[in-house]
Amino acid sequence: MHLALLQAQQNELYRFDQPDKRYTLQQAKALQQDMMDETFAMMQAAKGCDLVVTTEAVNYPGDPEKLQGDWTTLLPDESSPLWEKLSQEAKRLNAYLVYGCYRLKGGKPYNTAMIYGPDGALAEAYDKIQLASGGEQIHLTPGSRFVTVDAPFGRFAPCICWDMQFPEIPRTLALMGARLVVCPTWGWEGVYAHARAYENDIYVAGAMAVPAWMPIQGLRNPSEVVAQWGEVIASAPRDRAAVLTCELDLSRHSDEYPLHMGDRRPEMYGALTGGANHANR
């Protein structure tokens, strides 16, 4: 199968190094639209791919604490025309489309990966489970279910950014049969992302975003695809928007598969589901 990761260049709405700057709703909406337009333009280069993945929260409205007005009015609800536009784009691409966005569901805001099939139908919607500490936990609603999607090329599953910091999430998705985990994200650290692929014998692909004010730096990596043996097999640049493509065979297992997955002893892992109190007994 042919995978495309859309690494967008964020704009100033995504800057977190200007805590005192404020935006009107009109200013935020214009910047939000710029990012959405950029991402839709990048999709043109993904024609011919089987699976197209955007960055996290393409339609980010800005930090709610910095907006003058009700920030939720900038989010699409169930009746938004955005969903029809995404449906049409998936049909045009003849591909599965994973679109990272904020949305309102039942009046509550979520950080979501909307997944459309080549026929334009909504295949799944995954709401981020592990919200980052701070603003996300204050303003967003956590998801409550994992999802997988069965495609002709194999089973894949989404997670979003901070989800990847928790090894239980990719392990759960792997046990649900996912052979590829795709991750719309603003933070992609190889120190854990490569391990998640290796320890679960899965492909892992992160669609990273380039910060508005500097290249991707430090521990963070650009968009990349990691094979089951922990090797990076495709990587985007650190300093600009890019469409990263890669060919994958989801039927392939690494030589370590029998050790990492077959030799598990779930009866010994009760502390993983018992919480901190259980683990400290």
Side-chain angles (χ1 to χ4, degrees):
M1 59 86 66
H2 199 181
L3 170 68
L5 305 178
L6 309 186
Q7 177 172 285
Q9 175 85 49
Q10 295 170 330
N11 59 40
E12 66 172 279
L13 197 62
Y14 296 76
R15 294 191 67 152
F16 301 104
D17 62 338
Q18 299 176 328
D20 297 328
K21 187 162 186 177
R22 296 292 182 269
Y23 296 89
T24 66
L25 290 181
Q26 291 75 20
Q27 291 171 326
K29 185 175 182 179
L31 290 166
Q32 178 192 56
Q33 190 64 52
D34 286 345
M35 183 68 166
M36 295 171 67
D37 291 345
E38 176 190 1
T39 300
F40 274 107
M42 293 176 72
M43 290 179 191
Q44 306 301 314
K47 184 68 175 177
C49 293
D50 301 295
L51 174 59
V52 179
V53 185
T54 77
T55 61
E56 178 184 12
V58 169
N59 67 336
Y60 182 58
D63 180 353
E65 302 296 333
K66 297 165 65 174
L67 295 182
Q68 301 168 8
D70 181 2
W71 71 285
T72 63
T73 62
L74 299 178
L75 305 187
D77 61 14
E78 290 90 340
S79 64
S80 172
L82 174 61
W83 313 132
E84 179 59 26
K85 186 173 182 179
L86 290 170
S87 170
Q88 293 301 316
E89 190 64 21
K91 285 199 288 187
R92 185 191 69 81
L93 291 168
N94 191 31
Y96 286 87
L97 175 61
V98 180
Y99 185 85
C101 63
Y102 277 14
R103 65 164 177 160
L104 290 177
K105 182 177 68 172
K108 296 180 179 180
Y110 290 83
N111 187 340
T112 302
M114 303 292 287
I115 306 173
Y116 290 84
D119 60 356
L122 181 65
E124 272 291 0
Y126 168 71
D127 298 316
K128 186 175 182 179
I129 288 175
Q130 291 291 164
L131 299 178
S133 58
E136 278 202 332
Q137 291 184 3
I138 293 171
H139 298 292
L140 297 176
T141 307
S144 59
R145 59 185 285 267
F146 298 106
V147 305
T148 63
V149 177
D150 286 320
F153 50 79
R155 181 173 295 177
F156 70 93
C159 62
I160 300 174
C161 196
W162 197 243
D163 285 334
M164 286 293 293
Q165 294 274 2
F166 297 84
E168 297 90 345
I169 291 182
R171 174 54 57 89
T172 298
L173 296 173
L175 292 173
M176 293 172 66
R179 299 295 304 133
L180 165 66
V181 171
V182 296
C183 186
T185 185
W186 293 350
W188 187 252
E189 288 92 333
V191 67
Y192 65 78
H194 304 171
R196 301 295 173 261
Y198 176 72
E199 66 200 7
N200 294 300
D201 193 73
I202 55 176
Y203 288 101
V204 171
M208 177 63 167
V210 180
W213 65 97
M214 65 178 183
I216 298 167
Q217 295 180 344
L219 288 175
R220 293 187 172 184
N221 288 15
S223 300
E224 61 184 16
V225 183
V226 188
Q228 306 96 315
W229 48 92
E231 178 186 358
V232 177
I233 56 177
S235 183
R238 290 181 171 270
D239 60 350
R240 63 185 185 277
V243 177
L244 178 66
T245 62
C246 184
E247 290 284 345
L248 301 178
D249 179 0
L250 300 194
S251 68
R252 185 179 182 186
H253 289 276
S254 74
D255 294 338
E256 305 298 326
Y257 179 78
L259 301 177
H260 290 176
M261 301 302 284
D263 283 358
R264 295 174 62 254
R265 294 186 61 195
E267 73 276 7
M268 298 301 299
Y269 308 149
L272 291 176
T273 56
N277 291 335
H278 182 93
N280 291 332
R281 288 176 186 169

